[in-house]
Amino acid sequence: DQQVKQNSPSLSVQEGRISILNCDYTNSMFDYFLWYKKYPAEGPTFLISISSIKDKNEDGRFTVFLNKSAKHLSLHIVPSQPGDSAVYFCGETSGSRLTFGEGTQLTVNP
Amino acid sequence: NAGVTQTPKFRVLKTGQSMTLLCAQDMNHEYMYWYRQDPGMGLRLIHYSVGEGTTAKGEVPDGYNVSRLKKQNFLLGLESAAPSQTSVYFCASSHRGWNTEAFFGQGTRLTVV
């Protein structure tokens, strides 16, 4: 079974609004969570990460929140832009392994 | 700066045939990974390596073998291809397996008929 779960296969938002992508995890012994973005016919690219000792990490329009008690993390994109339309994967690293969830297709409509 | 290069980009195999996918990185990274991406399944880790001469099993290792004879190369082998191995394969590398970002190749689209 995958250690991280992304239960929403797709999300559609209007340009300028907030996009919230969610991820649940089962393994409490992690070091970092990472978010990757993937465009069609390209490899995934790193977006943002958060360590286990933090609750929030921000980078420009992207903010990741970690709720350890709920074993839940979320990626907020504000404001959303059409160029943000892609598949987003949350990943977990607990040492040497890097494993990912199923991905969420984000579509930002102009 | 090439980053992570995967060869080939496309391949069609017949059931039972064998092939090797090559991943090469020029960033002197210690860690390398092989993933497969399937609809609804996300990126699943097949095998990974934490350094030259080492390999380890990931989430879905059955039917695949790997070798890391040189630090810059990570080979993924299919000894007897099956239709269930039809997928897009991604290789990635990172300086360490922790908080540093992993860089991905462009992918190899493999179809087994």
Side-chain angles (χ1 to χ4, degrees):
Chain A
D1 286 341
Q2 288 178 284
Q3 302 272 7
V4 290
K5 300 285 289 181
Q6 294 176 258
N7 294 314
S8 298
S10 62
L11 174 68
S12 182
V13 300
Q14 286 300 119
E15 182 178 4
R17 298 290 187 98
I18 184 172
S19 295
I20 300 176
L21 297 104
N22 295 301
C23 182
D24 296 305
Y25 62 94
T26 56
N27 178 16
S28 297
M29 303 298 291
F30 70 92
D31 294 309
Y32 281 87
F33 283 105
L34 307 96
W35 284 94
Y36 281 75
K37 179 169 70 174
K38 184 184 180 305
Y39 293 117
E42 295 183 9
T45 55
F46 174 77
L47 194 55
I48 191 170
S49 66
I50 187 167
S51 76
S52 60
I53 62 173
K54 291 189 175 182
D55 299 320
K56 174 183 172 181
N57 189 28
E58 201 169 350
D59 184 3
R61 296 187 296 115
F62 303 92
T63 303
V64 57
F65 296 93
L66 178 60
N67 183 335
K68 289 184 279 292
S69 62
K71 294 187 179 179
H72 179 84
L73 72 157
S74 60
L75 174 67
H76 293 211
I77 306 173
V78 183
S80 300
Q81 300 173 353
D84 295 329
S85 297
V87 177
Y88 290 78
F89 292 99
C90 74
E92 170 200 59
T93 178
S94 305
S96 52
R97 288 164 62 113
L98 174 57
T99 56
F100 292 93
E102 299 88 341
T104 297
Q105 171 69 57
L106 172 65
T107 302
V108 180
N109 301 302
Chain B
N1 189 355
V4 179
T5 303
Q6 292 183 230
T7 309
K9 290 185 171 45
F10 303 94
R11 184 74 185 267
V12 178
L13 280 181
K14 293 184 178 180
T15 297
Q17 285 185 320
S18 64
M19 78 163 294
T20 300
L21 282 68
L22 170 64
C23 177
Q25 53 96 2
D26 61 3
M27 296 171 282
N28 201 35
H29 285 166
E30 291 293 330
Y31 288 66
M32 296 188 75
Y33 314 84
W34 275 108
Y35 296 89
R36 58 179 290 174
Q37 184 191 10
D38 303 290
M41 303 296 288
L43 291 165
R44 291 184 292 171
L45 181 64
I46 304 172
H47 286 281
Y48 63 100
S49 167
V50 300
E52 181 179 317
T54 74
T55 63
K57 294 180 180 180
E59 301 169 285
V60 288
D62 293 342
Y64 305 95
N65 56 76
V66 288
S67 64
R68 182 100 182 268
L69 299 179
K70 294 183 178 181
K71 186 177 183 179
Q72 64 267 33
N73 295 335
F74 195 28
L75 305 178
L76 177 70
L78 287 73
E79 290 186 346
S80 179
S84 61
Q85 294 178 304
T86 294
S87 187
V88 181
Y89 292 85
F90 288 99
C91 175
S93 72
S94 67
H95 179 57
R96 298 173 301 183
W98 292 48
N99 64 317
T100 54
E101 65 175 285
F103 292 84
F104 281 78
Q106 294 284 78
T108 296
R109 182 172 294 276
L110 174 67
T111 302
V112 182
V113 297

